[in-house]
């Protein structure tokens, strides 16, 4: 079955609005990147740089600075001074909000540049970025600008003394280190920087070494929007040096981390000595439960985009598909046909559904999982790694049929376009399999019975449950994990809890 998301009207995930961008955007020269410290672009002290690779052409795009612990210390000092002595944390909420609204407008004005950078850097389809990611990212800045204005202090009386007033103030934490992964570089940065700045903190962003290009563009937006010097700093460089220096510094009050569970566990340990506030957005192995009473076409769409969007390099990918036994064979047959028809290609081509895998290391890792799947399960579609025009880190949309939730491909986060499809007998077994994982990031239930869907949503241990859809996001919807998928919430008014602290002032009116 060919997957035509523009004509069926069945595309519940609203992906790939091909008609929105009929002309094909082009690769472009990206200037070399520098570090942003205290409002100035500078080179790393040691003079070292890192190459940035395009996974489609396998050629170098540009280079960025290889920041060190010493460079990071400079950024920490700048942010600390800006917080202690500068205007940002003390500014009227409305004035801070104006700057964040300006950032959002500049992001939208420069959307084309952001989209080309993300396509070249991490292989994200240009069209998906322009139609889904970019509005979400600028929307996050607008949403938190609004929250900054609603950032109210409280006032209470005691029940026992009329002359006592209790005043609660919500204050910023201080210096926030934002450490982000390579899979949604701009979105995961915006979801930390927007609430961090809105609450009055000063930030230091450390992007993933493989995908720093939109981070550079966002830091320039902050400068152009009038964020005061020292309030927004950017250090590119290895996690073990730059990220670690942020995590261990006494002057950094909070780490907002998105990445793998194993690295996150290390950060929690390393931050203990400085009583660091931390939020952890970690890995996932999210179950998509498909009942026999679901609309088959809609369920196929939700399953297809659930796992194959952004080539499966998505923390909330529907990476375990659980299907009711009575429709299992029909579903696997149709779903495998969709996977075989998936369009791989240059992410700048509007027709492309799956771009290349972002990095060579991930590409090699995914191919090993495919080999493991071939040993343990039945390969139904994909499994290959074609070159396009002789180049590129492409992996086909790959489907395995298996009865087991215990084999490697059913348990571990593959983080690529590979999915096991597992049958279940009844509701109880579906929920048992869904929760039989260390992770708890996302989940989904596809059924025409809304009562059943809501009842079962209560029983799933995951931070997000999508009913009859997948991959829905909004700035006002809290997002985060249960269990090994982490703690703390990003997005939504709830996120500000993680970027602020309360002060209680007791006043005796005499
Ligand atoms: P990663 O954990 O390897 O790296 C994440 C970031 O941490 C990078 O910037 C890296 O340089 C830095 N880092 C590495 N070692 C460090 C150290 N010792 N100290 C401080 N920082 C360090 O993750 P990745 O491979 O970039 O991203 C993929 C992972 O991210 C997957 O597990 C995926 O599920 C997860 N992820 C989670 C979410 C979510 O919202 N829950 C979203 C996207 C990705």
């Amino acid at each position: 079955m060919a997957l035509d998301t523009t004509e069926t009207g069945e595309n519940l995930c609203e992906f790939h609005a091909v008609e929105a961008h009929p002309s094909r955007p082009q690769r472009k020269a990206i200037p070399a990147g520098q570090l942003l410290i205290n409002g100035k672009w500078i080179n790393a002290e040691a003079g070292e740089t890192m190459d940035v690779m395009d996974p489609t052409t396998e050629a170098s795009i540009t280079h960025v600075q290889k920041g060190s612990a010493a460079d990071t210390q400079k950024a920490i000092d700048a942010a600390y001074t800006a917080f202690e002595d500068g205007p940002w944390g003390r500014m009227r909420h409305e004035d801070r909000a104006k700057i964040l609204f300006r950032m959002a407008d500049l992001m939208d004005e420069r959307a084309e540049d952001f989209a080309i950078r993300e396509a070249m850097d991490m292989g994200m389809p240009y069209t998906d970025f322009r139609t889904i990611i970019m509005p979400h990212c600028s929307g996050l800045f607008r949403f938190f600008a609004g929250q900054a204005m609603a950032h109210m202090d409280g006032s209470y009386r005691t029940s026992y003394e009329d002359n006592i007033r209790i005043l609660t103030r919500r204050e910023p934490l201080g210096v926030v280190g934002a450490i982000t992964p390579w899979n949604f570089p701009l979105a995961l940065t915006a979801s930390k920087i927007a609430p961090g700045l809105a609450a009055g903190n000063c930030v230091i962003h450390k992007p993933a070494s493989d995908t720093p290009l939109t981070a550079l563009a966002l830091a320039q937006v902050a400068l152009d929007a009038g964020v005061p010097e020292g309030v927004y700093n950017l250090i590119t460089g290895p996690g073990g040096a730059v990220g670690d220096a942020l995590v261990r510094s006494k002057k950094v009050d909070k780490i907002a981390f998105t990445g793998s569970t194993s690295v996150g566990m290390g950060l929690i340990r390393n931050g203990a000595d400085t009583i660091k506030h931390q939020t952890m957005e970690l890995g996932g192995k999210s179950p998509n439960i498909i009942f026999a009473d679901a609309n088959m076409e809609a369920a196929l769409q939700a399953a297809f985009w659930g796992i194959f969007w952004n080539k499966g390099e998505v923390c909330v990918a529907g990476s375990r598909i659980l299907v009711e036994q009575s429709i299992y064979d029909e579903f696997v047959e149709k779903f495998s046909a969709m996977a075989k028809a998936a369009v791989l290609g240059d992410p700048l081509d509007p027709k492309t559904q799956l771009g290349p895998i972002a990095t060579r290391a991930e590409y090699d890792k995914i191919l090993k999982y495919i080999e493991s799947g071939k040993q343990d399960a039945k390969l139904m579609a994909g499994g290959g790694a074609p070159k396009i025009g002789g180049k590129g880190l492409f992996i086909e949309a790959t489907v395995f049929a298996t009865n087991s939730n215990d084999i490697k491909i059913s348990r571990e986060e593959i983080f690529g376009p590979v999915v096991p499809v597992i049958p279940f007998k009844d509701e109880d077994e579906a929920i048992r399999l869904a929760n039989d994982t260390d992770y708890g990031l996302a989940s989904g239930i596809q059924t025409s019975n809304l009562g059943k869907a809501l009842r079962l949503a209560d029983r799933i241990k995951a931070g997000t449950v999508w009913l009859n859809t997948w991959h829905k996001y909004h700035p006002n919807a809290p997002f985060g994990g249960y269990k090994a998928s982490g703690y703390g919430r990003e997005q939504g008014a709830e996120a500000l809890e993680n970027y602020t602290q309360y002060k209680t002032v007791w006043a005796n009116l005499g």
Side-chain angles (χ1 to χ4, degrees), residues 178-184 188 192 206-211 237-247 257-264 266-267 270 280-284 313-316 362 365 413 415 439 441 479-481 485-486 490:
I179 303 179
T180 52
W182 48 263
N183 66 319
F184 280 92
L188 297 169
K192 295 166 181 57
K206 185 243 155 321
S209 304
D210 292 306
T211 56
V242 176
D244 192 58
L246 291 172
V247 172
F257 176 77
T258 298
S260 59
T261 297
S262 59
V263 171
L267 266 58
N270 297 341
M280 292 284 147
E281 295 286 355
L282 308 175
E313 296 184 309
V314 185
C315 54
V316 287
E362 288 297 312
K365 193 181 90 185
E413 186 183 41
F415 222 57
Y439 296 109
L441 194 54
F479 177 86
S485 294
E490 294 195 324

Side-chain angles (χ1 to χ4, degrees), residues 432-453:
R432 185 184 61 71
L433 288 171
N435 289 333
D436 182 13
T437 167
D438 291 338
Y439 296 109
L441 194 54
S443 59
I445 301 171
Q446 319 299 324
T447 170
S448 56
N449 181 338
L450 189 59
K452 174 163 83 178

